[in-house]
Amino acid sequence: MRTLSQYVRRTPIMRVSADGRPLVFKLEHLQLTGSFKLRGAVNTLLSLDVSEVVTASGGNHGIAVAQAAQLLGAHATVFVPVTAPETKTRRIEALGAKLIRHGNTYAEAAAAARELDLPYVEAYNDATVIEGQSTVTQEIVEDAPDVDTIFVAVGGGGLVAGAALASGGRHIIAVEPENCCAMHNALAAGEPVDSVVDSVAADALGATRAGSLSLEILQQHHVSSALVTDEEILAARDRLWEEFRIAVEPAGAAAFAAFLRGDVSSELPCVLLCGANSEWRPS
């Protein structure tokens, strides 16, 4: 039986100090495809066992599904909004997937993708996807058991839901941009609600509605919500490069931005650096 570990990297941790505080980085931006999304995509394709799939993505999920399909001998069609960055769409096509640009938002692209009569690979609101994403946190717990808090960037909620399930009761901080915070709004409303998507990290964190399954998991595990500004995200991204020579996309720096605020009390926090798929340059 084929297993997830055959296809994804076990990414390393890095113990550092920032602002005089000890910190663990989970270097998931070093994952194949440059983001954690490959874990959920491969887990889903393994469970489906089909020759063709379709999905929609703002970028990272599409790259992951294209890579998963290539690894497993399947074909993928990926719908993206017309706003998807060229650096990500180029990689989707390079991995052999059929790329279709449709609509101005992820939600519009997803609606069009679901019209095709093909198995649809969810980006986040799916138990199999969440199970795949949970392996990131399983590795953190195994490699750094002394960590007591984990900062996780959030879009639709698949990664943070997996973190909550695999954390062994550790404190999880769900981090979102101030103007791109579907999960924060869902937690406040008690249900997924339509949300504004306007952030430098929107191509990766730009879900218009949080996943209902992810929300339920976060509510059950008492996950905390934190919001950061775009300015804080860019400053955190630049600092990751300047101090640690770690290059990530804005979404990948969101969790570090929340840590830098110093609002959360923790003996040893972990910042999950989730992706590195953008044209990177200091601001």
Side-chain angles (χ1 to χ4, degrees), residues 7-8 31-33 35-42 64 67-68 71:
Y7 302 99
V8 303
Q31 185 56 256
L32 290 173
T33 75
S35 88
F36 72 94
K37 290 284 190 178
L38 183 66
R39 297 173 184 263
V42 169
Q67 177 74 81
L71 289 169

Side-chain angles (χ1 to χ4, degrees), residues 4 42 76 96 108 133 176 199 208 212 224 243:
L4 182 62
V42 169
E108 292 172 351
Q133 317 305 27
E176 296 168 277
S199 170
T208 52
S212 56
S224 300
E243 291 191 22

Side-chain angles (χ1 to χ4, degrees), residues 40-57:
V42 169
N43 208 41
T44 300
L45 265 69
L46 285 171
S47 69
L48 289 173
D49 193 24
V50 295
S51 62
E52 192 168 2
V53 296
V54 65
T55 195
S57 172

